[in-house]
Amino acid sequence: MTLILKNIGKEFEQRDIRSPALVSINLEVEEKEFTCVLGPSGCGKTTLLRIIAGLEKPTSGKVIIGGEIVSGPTSRMVMIFQDYSLFPWRTVIDNIAFGLEMKGIGKEERQKKAVHYLDLVGLSGFEENFPYELSGGMRQRVAVARALAIDPSVLLMDEPFGALDAQTRNMLQRQLLEIWDKTKKTVLFVTHSVDEAVFMADRIIVLTSRPGTIKEVVTIDLPRPRDRTSQDFATVRRYVLSLIDEPQSIQ
């Protein structure tokens, strides 16, 4: 289902002064599309994602999914954070099954679904491990499996690989694209990395510095799987980087 942002604006109040964080965000994300949101630090990327997820209220505008206005958290969308947000006292399989448990699904069925998504993210055999026994990359895969288990229409990902080393990050980028191809989920993925955005996205939404608004939407026509060492990849990467580095005009 299509995700629509209509004239989203957000202001924060500090010491009786209203400070705009986002201004006039208008966007349509099509079903099954992989979209990256990219922009300078502090431009409002995470705030925008939280508004879409229903975790924060916009000051103006509205978020629509499947023709319905988002007024709070919804099972149609799930957010995956950089810090994994796993329960340390639960095993891997019980972490994945948590959302299903909250929906009242019986133990046998939720265990069956949890095992399916554990296998999908390549962690079969780690069912009874606890999060502290896993690497950072493995914990993030558990978080992805937990999100997928409740079968949302949209995955919202807030720099999920930002804390990982470069080798693990590249591996998880490839694995996420494989999962996306299998599940056909819509993905909205926030990142600071131009390379990551060009490697993964169908489209890149480039935001300006604060207050964030859409500077340009870049469609990535490179075939998958993408070769980071190719001239075409370098050309697109250089163009997107120029958008990020370009100074914002002062009105």
Coordinates of all heavy atoms in Angstrom, one line a residue, residues 21-22 37-46 207-213:
A21 N 11.9 22.1 12.7 CA 12.8 21.0 12.3 C 12.5 20.5 10.9 O 13.4 20.1 10.2 CB 12.6 19.9 13.4
L22 N 11.2 20.5 10.5 CA 10.8 20.0 9.2 C 9.8 21.0 8.6 O 9.0 21.5 9.3 CB 10.2 18.6 9.3 CG 11.1 17.5 9.8 CD1 10.2 16.2 10.1 CD2 12.1 17.1 8.7
V37 N 16.4 7.9 3.0 CA 16.3 9.3 3.4 C 17.7 9.7 3.8 O 18.3 9.1 4.7 CB 15.3 9.5 4.5 CG1 15.3 11.0 4.8 CG2 13.9 9.1 4.1
L38 N 18.2 10.7 3.2 CA 19.6 11.1 3.4 C 19.7 12.6 3.6 O 18.9 13.4 3.0 CB 20.4 10.7 2.1 CG 21.9 10.9 2.0 CD1 22.6 9.9 3.0 CD2 22.4 10.6 0.6
G39 N 20.6 13.1 4.4 CA 20.7 14.5 4.6 C 21.8 14.8 5.7 O 22.2 13.9 6.4
P40 N 22.1 16.1 5.9 CA 23.1 16.4 6.9 C 22.6 16.1 8.3 O 21.4 16.0 8.6 CB 23.2 17.9 6.7 CG 22.6 18.3 5.4 CD 21.6 17.2 5.2
S41 N 23.6 16.0 9.2 CA 23.2 15.7 10.6 C 22.3 16.9 11.1 O 22.5 18.0 10.8 CB 24.5 15.7 11.5 OG 25.3 14.5 11.2
G42 N 21.3 16.5 11.9 CA 20.4 17.4 12.4 C 19.3 18.0 11.5 O 18.6 18.9 11.8
C43 N 19.2 17.3 10.3 CA 18.2 17.9 9.3 C 16.8 17.3 9.6 O 15.8 17.8 8.9 CB 18.6 17.5 7.9 SG 18.5 15.8 7.5
G44 N 16.6 16.4 10.5 CA 15.3 16.0 10.9 C 14.9 14.6 10.3 O 13.7 14.2 10.3
K45 N 15.9 13.8 9.9 CA 15.6 12.5 9.3 C 14.9 11.6 10.3 O 13.9 11.0 10.0 CB 16.9 11.8 8.9 CG 17.6 12.6 7.8 CD 18.8 11.8 7.3 CE 19.9 11.6 8.3 NZ 20.6 12.8 8.7
T46 N 15.4 11.5 11.5 CA 14.8 10.6 12.5 C 13.5 11.1 13.0 O 12.5 10.4 13.2 CB 15.8 10.4 13.8 OG1 17.0 9.8 13.3 CG2 15.1 9.6 14.9
L207 N 17.4 15.5 1.9 CA 16.9 16.6 2.7 C 17.9 17.7 2.8 O 19.2 17.5 2.8 CB 16.5 16.2 4.1 CG 15.4 15.1 4.2 CD1 15.1 14.8 5.7 CD2 14.2 15.5 3.4
T208 N 17.5 18.9 3.0 CA 18.3 20.1 3.2 C 18.7 20.1 4.7 O 18.2 19.3 5.5 CB 17.6 21.4 2.9 OG1 16.5 21.5 3.9 CG2 17.1 21.4 1.5
S209 N 19.7 21.0 5.0 CA 20.0 21.2 6.5 C 18.8 21.8 7.2 O 17.8 22.3 6.5 CB 21.2 22.0 6.6 OG 21.0 23.3 5.9
R210 N 18.8 21.8 8.5 CA 17.7 22.2 9.3 C 17.3 23.6 9.0 O 18.1 24.5 8.9 CB 18.0 22.0 10.8 CG 16.9 22.3 11.8 CD 17.4 22.1 13.2 NE 16.3 22.4 14.1 CZ 15.8 21.4 14.9 NH1 16.2 20.2 14.8 NH2 14.8 21.7 15.7
P211 N 16.0 23.9 8.9 CA 14.9 22.9 8.9 C 14.8 22.1 7.6 O 14.9 22.6 6.5 CB 13.6 23.9 9.0 CG 14.0 25.1 8.4 CD 15.5 25.3 8.7
G212 N 14.6 20.8 7.8 CA 14.7 19.9 6.7 C 13.5 20.0 5.8 O 12.4 20.0 6.2
T213 N 13.8 20.1 4.5 CA 12.8 19.9 3.5 C 13.4 19.1 2.3 O 14.6 19.0 2.3 CB 12.2 21.3 3.0 OG1 11.1 21.1 2.2 CG2 13.3 22.1 2.2

